[in-house]
Amino acid sequence: MASIFGPHRPHRPHRPHRPHRPYRPYQGKAQPALLVNATGDPRTTYESARTVRRMWPSSRLVTLRGADQHAVHGVFGSECVDTTVNTYLATGHLPPTDLACDRPSG
């Protein structure tokens, strides 16, 4: 039976001749990434975003202050956030430092 994801393969149990390797977190150089978070995000707390930022030194954090929702880019109406994210997506270049944007009034 074929599926849209490729040929069907039956489940294969663990093979004893192949030793199980425990999971090891990535130890190499992480690629830079742009993290975006609102201070009032109900799903990913701002403290959690700051922790990820500290653990990922090549990243940058864009903070939307005063916002209380999870989706921010392209949804919340912050020109500061949208421009920063769109520039990153178009060029692949991070801002030189972390950035804090104020909640738009209105």
Side-chain angles (χ1 to χ4, degrees):
M1 175 174 123
S3 72
I4 61 172
F5 302 108
H8 173 71
R9 295 179 188 239
H11 172 71
R12 295 182 187 158
H14 175 69
R15 296 182 182 156
H17 63 278
R18 293 185 185 175
H20 173 72
R21 290 183 221 136
Y23 170 76
R24 292 186 190 132
Y26 181 71
Q27 299 294 319
K29 182 178 178 186
Q31 292 296 316
L34 186 64
L35 310 170
V36 181
N37 201 254
T39 54
D41 187 332
R43 293 191 182 136
T44 307
T45 65
Y46 184 60
E47 188 55 41
S48 295
R50 291 180 58 195
T51 298
V52 170
R53 170 64 180 98
R54 282 191 300 274
M55 294 172 65
W56 198 343
S58 62
S59 68
R60 296 291 180 271
L61 176 60
V62 177
T63 300
L64 182 56
R65 293 187 287 222
D68 58 357
Q69 70 183 51
H70 184 68
V72 175
H73 170 251
V75 177
F76 200 81
S78 168
E79 186 175 336
C80 174
V81 170
D82 293 349
T83 300
T84 303
V85 173
N86 291 339
T87 299
Y88 172 69
L89 293 174
T91 66
H93 297 290
L94 292 170
T97 61
D98 291 343
L99 182 65
C101 302
D102 291 320
R103 177 189 179 124
S105 58

